[in-house]
Structures are given as structure tokens and as C-alpha cells.
Amino acid sequence: MHLPRTGQNRSEASIRQRRNKLISDKATNSSKPCVISGCDRHRYCVSTYCNTHAQRYRRYGRAKGPLPTEGELRSIEGAFKEWLDQDHLATDQQRQAFKLAWASGQKTITTNPAFALPFFRLEGNEGFTRQAKGWVILSHYFHVQRHSLSDAMLRLMAVRVWTEFFWQMPEGRRGLTKERNYFVHTWAGYYVLRNSGFTKSKTEEKIIGWERPWYISDDPARNRPKPITEKTIKKVGLTPFKAGPIVRAIGKELQGAVDHAMGTTWINDARLLKRAADALGQPHHK
Ligand SMILES: [Zn+2]
């Protein structure tokens, strides 16, 4: 099994044509204002947002509005487990069926251990698809760090529940499901990336003091104090700009696993939403 790569068989003429279209689209777009009300900056690139809002959208999955905290998501996860235990699964037969379905959902995202490629392989221009890059991170998360895929699926569901309370369709955009998935996949994917240990070591030289030359020379340049340095190793992860599309690819995989295990109607369960509202200290579900 190989990691999929994007096709690179576009002709020179086609590449040129696309580039020219992009330049003209950018020019038309940048004369318009950002779609966020109250923001009067010009649009960035071909985005409907200005540079600031576009960056926020790419990094956090929404250009404006509150973001989930770790505490909120954990509270929802607790509420979800209670709901599962006390409301959703009433009989032993249901429990048994759930265990099988949940395990089979995890199987759909159990990647090949050989996909845990080192950091530099994703930095290079090897043409891996977003999904392929997502699998690389999932492999690190599961095979190298030995984290549970079940936890990652649970996190996706918690973010989905969170959106029922604190997320609204953003202004100036179309496609509710697409927008909400963009947000949910961003947060669920970052959870996996954050716990994947997918980093590189960067050596940095830090100045820890200065040494005065013992011999005072006639040459002033030689009299300057010399820095005493120490090498430190720092762990560096993917930049938020690069990580965005990759974490959303991971989120999409998690979504597939959850759909496989739970179906898609669980989110409408009033008892679950009631428990989540109580856990979040929200008066009632919006
Ligand atoms: Zn803006």
C-alpha cells in the first residue's frame, strides 16, 4: 500500500493559463471589502476575507466568534459518555452492538504503520495528497505515540456538539454543512496533530554570556567582547499555514470513522444535547 500523490501531468500551457487567471481574479477581488461586517479591510488573494480574517479562518476554522476550550470539550466528552451509558445503550445487546460498531469505525482509520514518515518527508515537495499527509500524522499519533483512535473520534463528536451551542453559520458564505465540517474537522484534526509528536528538532545557538578579550589590541574590532553560546535543541512542528489543510484531512477521516460507527443522527438526540448543555452550564440548547 502506498501513500497517494497528486497527479502532476498538467501541461505548461494549462499551468500558465491558471496562473494568469489567478492574477486577474486576485486583482478583481482585492478591490472588494472583507465580508465580515464592521471590517473595512480589502480582501486577501481570492478569499472573501481580508488577510487577518483569512488567516484566522485557516488556522481556527472560523474567522470570527468564540473557539472551543479544552475544558469545554472535556465536559462534553464526559456528557457524551454518560449519555451513552445511561440513555443510549439500554440493553446488553445494544452495548454489544455498539462495541462492535465502534471498533469497526476505528478500523476504518487504522493506517499502515509504514505511513509514519519522518518530518522532512512532508516538508519536501513529494506531491502527497492532503489525505496522504493526514494518514502520516494519524500513523504517528496511533502507531508511534500509541494514542487511541477512539479518543480522536470522541473529540470529533465533542467539537460537533460544541458547534450546536457556540457556532453559527458565518456571514458571507454558503453551504452550512461544508462550513460546519470545516470548523469541526479543524479542531478534531488539531487534536490528533498536537498529540502526534510530529516535530523536527532544530538546533539553536543561544548567547549565554560575553567574554572580554584578555589581550587589548590596537585594533578596536579585536577588543569587542565575544559571545559565549550554548546549543539548544528545540522541537518545531508544522506551521499553522501548512497544518490547516492537513488537520482538516485528518478531521475528515475521523468523521468517516464516526459516521461508520454511530451513523449521523446521534447529534439530534435531545437527551445528549440536554446533558451537554448541563455540562457546559448553558441554560438550554439554542
Ligand atoms: Zn476582515
Coordinates of all heavy atoms in Angstrom, one line a residue, residues 34 36 39 41 49-50 53, ligand 1:
C34 N -13.7 43.0 2.8 CA -13.9 41.8 3.6 C -15.3 41.6 3.9 O -16.0 42.5 4.2 CB -13.0 41.9 4.9 SG -13.2 40.6 6.0
I36 N -16.7 40.2 6.5 CA -17.1 40.4 7.9 C -17.6 41.8 8.2 O -16.9 42.7 7.8 CB -15.9 40.1 8.8 CG1 -15.3 38.7 8.6 CG2 -16.2 40.4 10.3 CD1 -16.1 37.6 9.2
C39 N -15.6 45.1 9.3 CA -14.2 45.0 8.8 C -14.1 45.7 7.5 O -14.8 45.3 6.5 CB -13.8 43.6 8.7 SG -12.1 43.5 8.2
R41 N -11.3 46.3 5.8 CA -10.1 46.0 5.0 C -10.4 45.3 3.7 O -11.5 44.7 3.5 CB -9.2 45.0 5.9 CG -8.5 45.7 7.0 CD -7.6 44.8 7.7 NE -8.4 43.8 8.5 CZ -8.5 43.8 9.8 NH1 -7.9 44.7 10.5 NH2 -9.2 42.9 10.4
Y49 N -12.4 37.0 2.6 CA -11.9 37.7 3.8 C -10.7 38.5 3.6 O -9.9 38.3 2.6 CB -11.6 36.7 4.9 CG -12.7 35.8 5.4 CD1 -12.6 34.4 5.5 CD2 -13.9 36.4 5.8 CE1 -13.6 33.7 6.0 CE2 -14.9 35.6 6.3 CZ -14.8 34.3 6.4 OH -15.8 33.5 6.9
C50 N -10.4 39.5 4.5 CA -9.2 40.2 4.5 C -8.1 39.3 5.0 O -8.3 38.2 5.5 CB -9.3 41.4 5.4 SG -9.4 41.0 7.1
H53 N -8.6 38.0 8.7 CA -9.7 37.1 8.9 C -9.5 35.8 8.1 O -9.9 34.7 8.5 CB -11.1 37.7 8.5 CG -11.6 38.7 9.5 ND1 -11.8 40.0 9.3 CD2 -11.9 38.5 10.8 CE1 -12.2 40.6 10.4 NE2 -12.3 39.7 11.4
Ligands
ZN1 ZN -11.7 41.2 7.7

